[in-house]
């Protein structure tokens, strides 16, 4: 019973696929990016989502083999999506947001900051990480798709 199948493998594959695709869309398309840090609220959401998704994926499985099939399905989808975005750059443009310009020639683009719920304090923190104390020192600053910030300083 430990390694037997308690649920149809196809049911596990369908459940795993459905939850993977739903969570993929949620995290890659809806949530998009964060400011390069993981806060307490992010961890809490991740734990709650994982617990809620587990019930949707698992159904009533009880064996290790069932778990292997479910985890294999999720890893398989992740690998396939990564391969597809590598193979088809057009798909990557759809699934990952382009870099967002936050500072242009020393001028902070507040509308773009607002779009990402980025505060002035968040911006100042990220600029200090790049050795910048004043946005006027920056030629361009981008919020990258992975949440990191790229800062190109003005030439003296």
């Amino acid at each position: 019973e430990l390694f037997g199948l308690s649920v149809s493998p196809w049911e596990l594959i369908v459940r795993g696929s459905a939850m993977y695709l739903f969570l993929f869309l949620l995290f890659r398309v809806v949530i998009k990016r964060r400011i390069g840090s993981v806060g307490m609220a992010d961890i809490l959401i991740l734990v709650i989502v994982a617990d809620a998704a587990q019930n949707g994926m698992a159904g009533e499985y009880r064996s290790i083999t069932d778990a292997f099939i479910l985890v294999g399905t999720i890893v398989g989808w992740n690998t396939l999506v990564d391969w597809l975005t590598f193979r088809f750059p057009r798909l990557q443009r759809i699934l990952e947001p382009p870099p967002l310009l936050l500072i242009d020639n020393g001028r902070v683009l507040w509308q773009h900051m607002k779009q990402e719920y980025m505060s002035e304090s968040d911006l100042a923190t990220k600029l200090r990480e790049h050795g910048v104390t004043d946005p006027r020192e920056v030629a361009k600053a981008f919020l990258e798709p992975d949440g990191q910030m790229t800062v190109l300083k003005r030439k003296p």
Side-chain angles (χ1 to χ4, degrees):
E1 189 174 309
L2 187 62
F3 288 99
L5 287 170
S6 62
V7 176
S8 160
W10 287 110
E11 180 181 340
L12 292 168
I13 290 170
V14 168
R15 285 176 176 271
S17 296
M19 288 308 298
Y20 176 83
L21 293 171
F22 171 73
L23 293 173
F24 176 84
L25 288 173
L26 180 69
F27 286 108
R28 280 228 181 145
V29 177
V30 176
I31 294 175
K32 294 184 188 173
R33 60 182 145 212
R34 298 284 291 175
I35 310 169
S37 62
V38 177
M40 246 347 223
D42 299 317
I43 293 169
L44 178 62
I45 290 295
L46 186 60
V47 168
I48 291 170
V49 166
D51 186 48
Q54 185 272 335
N55 293 328
M57 285 188 293
E60 292 294 322
Y61 81 83
R62 289 183 169 70
S63 78
I64 293 171
T65 305
D66 293 341
F68 288 168
I69 292 170
L70 190 55
V71 170
T73 299
I74 294 166
V75 170
W77 272 107
N78 191 56
T79 303
L80 177 64
V81 168
D82 286 346
W83 180 81
L84 287 171
T85 57
F86 170 76
R87 179 74 175 87
F88 302 102
R90 189 180 248 177
L91 186 59
Q92 183 177 14
R93 287 192 296 271
I94 294 168
L95 296 177
E96 288 187 13
L100 181 66
L101 186 62
L102 296 178
I103 299 176
D104 189 20
N105 291 319
R107 187 174 58 90
V108 177
L109 303 176
W110 295 107
Q111 191 62 32
H112 291 182
M113 299 267 297
K114 187 185 218 183
Q115 180 181 331
E116 291 297 325
Y117 302 114
M118 189 172 184
S119 70
E120 190 172 354
S121 165
D122 292 333
L123 178 64
T125 299
K126 288 299 179 185
L127 290 176
R128 283 192 302 274
E129 288 175 4
H130 292 277
V132 175
T133 56
D134 186 340
R136 291 177 290 207
E137 300 172 37
V138 177
K140 297 204 182 288
F142 296 93
L143 183 60
E144 301 295 344
D146 65 358
Q148 298 298 315
M149 185 179 285
T150 300
V151 176
L152 306 172
K153 297 178 186 175
R154 285 184 170 193
K155 302 218 187 242

